[in-house]
Amino acid sequence: MNITSWLKNRGIEIHNEPLIMQAFMHSSYVNEHRSKNDNERLEFMGDAVLQLWISDKIFRIEPPLDEGHMTTLRAQLVCEKALSIYAKELKLNDFLLLGSGEEKSGGRQRDSIVSDMFEAFLGALFMDGGMDPIDNILNEVITSRLQDPNQVIVMDYKTKLQEFVQSDTRKTVTYEVIKMTGPSNNPRFEIQVKLDDIVLGKGIGNSKKKAEQMAAKDAFEKMVK
């Protein structure tokens, strides 16, 4: 089955098939095949569409949630791990186009790649057909998870750390990259999280989002001991 058939099975007709296909083109595939466009620009659009869709759904929850609870819930629902879970439940990662090296190293299952692809897919769907196809896809994987707003969907350590810090102070923690190694198609980031000039924790990951989560986890677990 190709992505066009997959969408038709969900009642979604597309008008620009190359745009939808672009959502699944990882930079490693583009580099090897000398294609013009990878999915990074579509990822930018999809992130915005996802944030708006989630915010609207959370805002309409009854009884109404306070602003802090809404922010925490949204962060859980749109974090890298959660997006990867949705994409894998839908089996969208089967359509990923990867370079041979990325394929061999397990990129088809890697959360950072799969979550970026999912956002790019949403961006392409929105550009092709507006919010209706977005509703169709996201209702399938997210709406049921909104039935219990107190359920922990995925542990978002960045949010947990910020909440812990703000229980004592109004200050905000910051994240900075202290080292980046590896090739461009499989980078490795080392990030530290700081409060003012104090380093609270460090983390390593194959994306900035993952490394930030690991740094926040390191800091949070130290602070709650």
Side-chain angles (χ1 to χ4, degrees):
M1 179 185 294
N2 59 30
I3 187 60
T4 303
S5 300
W6 187 95
L7 287 165
K8 282 184 178 179
N9 288 344
R10 287 165 170 77
I12 299 173
E13 294 289 336
I14 60 172
H15 309 94
N16 187 344
E17 186 173 357
L19 181 69
I20 303 299
M21 290 297 299
Q22 184 185 335
F24 298 92
M25 291 185 184
H26 187 253
S27 57
S28 62
Y29 177 88
V30 170
N31 291 338
E32 286 189 11
H33 292 80
R34 297 183 180 178
S35 300
K36 290 184 179 179
N37 299 308
D38 57 28
N39 62 8
E40 291 176 3
R41 280 171 51 83
L42 288 172
E43 179 193 341
F44 171 85
M45 178 61 74
D47 176 68
V49 171
L50 177 64
Q51 292 280 346
L52 177 60
W53 189 92
I54 289 281
S55 297
D56 178 67
K57 294 293 183 182
I58 292 174
F59 190 85
R60 297 175 188 277
I61 290 175
E62 293 291 343
L65 307 178
D66 61 47
E67 190 269 343
H69 195 168
M70 288 194 295
T71 300
T72 300
L73 181 57
R74 183 176 62 187
Q76 288 186 25
L77 287 164
V78 302
C79 72
E80 180 182 279
K81 183 65 177 178
L83 299 187
S84 179
I85 288 171
Y86 309 149
K88 290 173 183 176
E89 285 180 359
L90 293 167
K91 301 189 183 305
L92 285 169
N93 56 322
D94 289 350
F95 303 118
L96 254 173
L97 296 172
L98 299 168
S100 58
E102 197 64 70
E103 185 75 73
K104 290 175 183 176
S105 67
R108 191 170 298 277
Q109 298 299 323
R110 189 171 296 133
D111 288 343
S112 58
I113 291 177
V114 175
S115 63
D116 288 349
M117 174 212 69
F118 187 66
E119 287 184 329
F121 175 59
L122 296 178
L125 279 183
F126 176 76
M127 296 293 288
D128 187 73
M131 288 302 289
D132 285 345
I134 301 297
D135 262 334
N136 184 313
I137 300 301
L138 295 184
N139 276 328
E140 185 172 343
V141 289
I142 297 181
T143 298
S144 63
R145 291 177 160 99
L146 290 168
Q147 310 232 331
D148 180 5
N150 294 309
Q151 176 187 1
V152 177
I153 298 146
V154 176
M155 180 61 76
D156 179 10
Y157 282 101
K158 287 181 68 176
T159 301
K160 296 294 287 183
L161 177 62
Q162 187 59 52
E163 288 176 343
F164 187 83
V165 168
Q166 288 189 330
S167 65
D168 288 329
T169 174
R170 290 184 176 273
K171 295 179 179 179
T172 301
V173 297
T174 59
Y175 296 83
E176 62 180 43
V177 177
I178 55 178
K179 186 187 295 183
M180 189 181 101
T181 57
S184 60
N185 66 336
N186 188 24
R188 188 173 178 83
F189 297 92
E190 184 175 352
I191 284 178
Q192 63 185 15
V193 55
K194 299 169 67 177
L195 181 62
D196 294 330
D197 293 324
I198 302 171
V199 176
L200 303 178
K202 295 181 180 180
I204 296 173
N206 52 21
S207 73
K208 288 183 181 178
K209 290 180 181 179
K210 181 69 172 177
E212 286 174 356
Q213 282 288 338
M214 296 307 293
K217 180 176 185 289
D218 179 45
F220 181 74
E221 291 178 345
K222 288 175 181 174
M223 294 176 77
V224 298
K225 281 184 179 179

